[in-house]
Amino acid sequence: MLKELRHPGIPVIYDIEEDEEHSYLVEEYLQGDSLNSLVSRQGPLTRCTVLRYVIQLCGVVYYLHSAGTEPILHLDLQPKNLLVCHENLKLIDFGQAERLSKANRSRQRFGTVGFAAPELYSCEKRLDERTDIYAIGALLFYLATGEYPSSDTSPAMLGLKMWSREAGRILAACLEPEKNSRYTSVDRLIEDLEKLQQPVSSQLVAVYGNEPGVGTTHISLGLCAYLWKMGIPNLYEERHPCTKLHSLQKSQGRAADAYGIFRFSGCALKPFFGRQARFLDHHYPVVIQDRGLWKGRENRETGEDKPDTVLLVVGGKWWNHSPDKDFFSLWLDRGCLIYNFSDKKIWVKRPDGVGPIRALRAPLFSNPFQPEGEAQTWLKLLWESVNGQKGGEDVIKSSQKAGSDNGRHFGGGKWMRCYPFFHFTGKLPGCSRTGKDGAFGVESQR
């Protein structure tokens, strides 16, 4: 039966061998973590992650229920039998799986406590597709809460622990003790789950440093970790010769898989292996590419490497280089400046000849893999900026300084403070007054 199945969520069976004592199954090698391991390590998963995994599972189960002239029932859907391989769910262990008629003729039944439907506890009750639907509901509850559903608690009460009333209704409709009260088919369940899902658009984010040592890797990893925390699968990829990820990989004893990727602190990381290295294609919807130093117009990529958004990390001190003019001419429509190692009290020179462009000041956060507090708020703002969402756009603080010490050092010109979010524009929106020395909306600086 298994050799005939072909689905992305089911391991490929290459061959079955038998001798006098044993049977041997030759199947696809899988690299990943079980859902049991993920929840044990991380606790309850985010809403986005839970829905993504459960909808994938429903797709696999729907395929089994539709395969051939008679449905295949898995009968042991539980966290240890589901592997996450680069955000693709794989269903394993078909030891209990049977065609519908054969499953009902069997005089022995097995299951996993907490995930087995009530009818599996009696050989007198008939099994059908709704038996697997019960287990899907139990998995939905487990991933969302980190707990096994209790048979002593009504489905309606269990539903109160979900994120919303509609999610609770869906859960209860899966976990009803009586089969006739559950969803009648998996495709109906998929339709309802998809209504709760917030789609994630595909994004390629390229991150450059304006000069060495401005924190390009730190900012990139911070964004990667924040997105994983929000349940958005993504890949951090080194795209320039660098030893940072290789050093991390070696120190933690992690090995790259067939995709060239290893995981650390919940993040998917791909070191730079050289231009000639070839790996299996991944399917992460969001890719954050650390591309090293900005080198002007030679950084303009075409085809598949053309990014949706370009971030340029700039040093926030007065001695750091100003952003290259080519950056603004090439990426004005989807570029963003990030001033790092700066402070609200520090004035930096506005780049000459700049039209409207987004800019942010990065707060100090020591561990990019665990952004918290102000860092998490700022990374949320950065992600909204990447997606073109309105966020903090009215927070503008700028100043024109003439004749001050800093102004003379840079030969005069326009200056501004690095507040969390501001735009470089021809005029200063939202400015209601002009102070001394031409300071707009802020106290005069001398």
Side-chain angles (χ1 to χ4, degrees):
M1 178 178 65
L2 290 178
K3 291 184 70 174
E4 300 171 359
L5 301 179
R6 288 292 181 270
H7 187 279
I10 299 175
V12 177
I13 304 299
Y14 297 111
D15 199 4
I16 298 176
E17 298 290 342
E18 295 181 348
D19 59 23
E20 294 179 355
E21 297 182 358
H22 301 96
S23 296
Y24 303 91
L25 196 65
V26 183
E27 63 179 329
E28 176 186 4
Y29 175 69
L30 299 176
Q31 294 175 300
D33 293 317
S34 71
L35 290 181
N36 182 74
S37 297
L38 286 179
V39 174
S40 298
R41 185 169 64 245
Q42 302 178 18
L45 305 183
T46 64
R47 169 179 175 168
C48 179
T49 304
V50 171
L51 289 172
R52 185 172 66 253
Y53 290 160
V54 174
I55 289 173
Q56 284 188 43
L57 172 60
C58 286
V60 181
V61 175
Y62 177 75
Y63 170 79
L64 292 175
H65 290 179
S66 308
T69 58
E70 195 176 16
I72 297 173
L73 307 182
H74 187 274
L75 303 179
D76 196 20
L77 299 174
Q78 52 117 330
K80 293 181 180 179
N81 288 343
L82 289 157
L83 296 183
V84 180
C85 305
H86 295 292
E87 297 312 297
N88 295 315
L89 210 63
K90 299 281 189 177
L91 178 58
I92 61 173
D93 194 347
F94 283 74
Q96 305 302 321
E98 293 285 4
R99 293 280 183 185
L100 179 61
S101 58
K102 187 174 181 180
N104 282 292
R105 289 197 302 268
S106 175
R107 305 315 299 167
Q108 284 187 318
R109 292 180 177 177
F110 303 92
T112 300
V113 175
F115 300 91
E119 57 268 26
L120 276 171
Y121 289 89
S122 171
C123 292
E124 305 304 320
K125 294 183 178 180
R126 182 171 176 79
L127 309 179
D128 61 22
E129 294 94 324
R130 292 169 292 183
T131 304
D132 282 340
I133 289 176
Y134 181 96
I136 293 175
L139 280 160
L140 173 62
F141 183 82
Y142 174 73
L143 297 179
T145 66
E147 304 171 2
Y148 288 9
S150 172
S151 58
D152 296 329
T153 307
S154 70
M157 292 300 294
L158 292 174
L160 295 176
K161 294 189 175 184
M162 300 299 289
W163 329 282
S164 65
R165 180 177 297 178
E166 178 61 13
R169 183 198 67 79
I170 293 172
L171 178 77
C174 292
L175 293 178
E176 286 291 343
E178 292 296 328
K179 290 202 312 268
N180 292 336
S181 299
R182 296 177 206 155
Y183 279 95
T184 56
S185 63
V186 178
D187 56 336
R188 292 286 303 277
L189 174 57
I190 292 175
E191 289 178 7
D192 284 352
L193 288 171
E194 287 180 339
K195 293 176 183 176
L196 300 179
Q197 195 175 36
Q198 298 174 343
V200 177
S201 59
S202 178
Q203 286 272 8
L204 174 57
V205 182
V207 189
Y208 293 97
N210 195 51
E211 58 186 294
V214 293
T216 308
T217 300
H218 196 92
I219 296 293
S220 303
L221 289 173
L223 179 58
C224 171
Y226 166 77
L227 293 180
W228 278 108
K229 192 171 184 178
M230 294 299 104
I232 301 174
N234 69 95
L235 173 68
Y236 168 86
E237 182 179 8
E238 279 182 342
R239 288 295 294 268
H240 66 107
C242 184
T243 61
K244 294 177 182 176
L245 282 192
H246 285 297
S247 298
L248 175 64
Q249 184 181 358
K250 184 177 180 180
S251 67
Q252 299 298 315
R254 307 296 174 91
D257 58 19
Y259 297 85
I261 296 169
F262 73 98
R263 297 189 74 93
F264 175 76
S265 192
C267 297
L269 311 173
K270 185 175 183 178
F272 181 78
F273 289 96
R275 303 294 180 188
Q276 304 304 317
R278 292 292 180 269
F279 298 96
L280 296 179
D281 293 333
H282 64 80
H283 301 285
Y284 287 94
V286 177
V287 178
I288 302 166
Q289 292 184 344
D290 182 347
R291 298 190 176 185
L293 285 178
W294 173 260
K295 298 178 182 178
R297 291 189 175 270
E298 66 181 273
N299 286 125
R300 182 153 196 173
E301 282 77 15
T302 59
E304 293 183 351
D305 283 331
K306 189 174 184 179
D308 299 291
T309 301
V310 182
L311 309 179
L312 182 64
V313 183
V314 182
K317 301 296 191 297
W318 55 266
W319 59 77
N320 287 117
H321 299 310
S322 294
D324 190 284
K325 289 184 179 180
D326 281 341
F327 176 79
F328 303 105
S329 61
L330 292 173
W331 305 114
L332 185 62
D333 57 338
R334 55 179 180 273
C336 181
L337 290 181
I338 298 176
Y339 281 87
N340 199 17
F341 304 120
S342 185
D343 187 83
K344 295 179 181 179
K345 298 180 180 180
I346 294 178
W347 294 79
V348 293
K349 185 178 180 183
R350 181 188 306 210
D352 296 330
V354 175
I357 191 169
R358 294 167 294 178
L360 298 101
R361 175 186 61 82
L364 177 65
F365 55 104
S366 58
N367 185 354
F369 293 104
Q370 299 291 334
E372 297 177 349
E374 184 184 7
Q376 184 165 315
T377 301
W378 179 81
L379 288 165
K380 178 177 183 292
L381 191 65
L382 174 60
W383 181 239
E384 290 174 349
S385 173
V386 166
N387 281 288
Q389 301 174 28
K390 183 177 177 66
E393 296 172 11
D394 295 327
V395 183
I396 251 185
K397 301 273 185 174
S398 185
S399 177
Q400 292 181 338
K401 299 198 42 98
S404 68
D405 291 340
N406 286 340
R408 285 195 296 270
H409 180 84
F410 280 100
K414 295 183 178 181
W415 294 72
M416 73 277 166
R417 276 182 174 177
C418 288
Y419 283 79
F421 191 109
F422 51 92
H423 277 75
F424 295 136
T425 57
K427 62 178 182 178
L428 300 171
C431 296
S432 58
R433 63 182 178 86
T434 303
K436 296 179 182 180
D437 296 334
F440 289 82
V442 295
E443 65 277 356
S444 174
Q445 301 291 319
R446 294 187 180 279

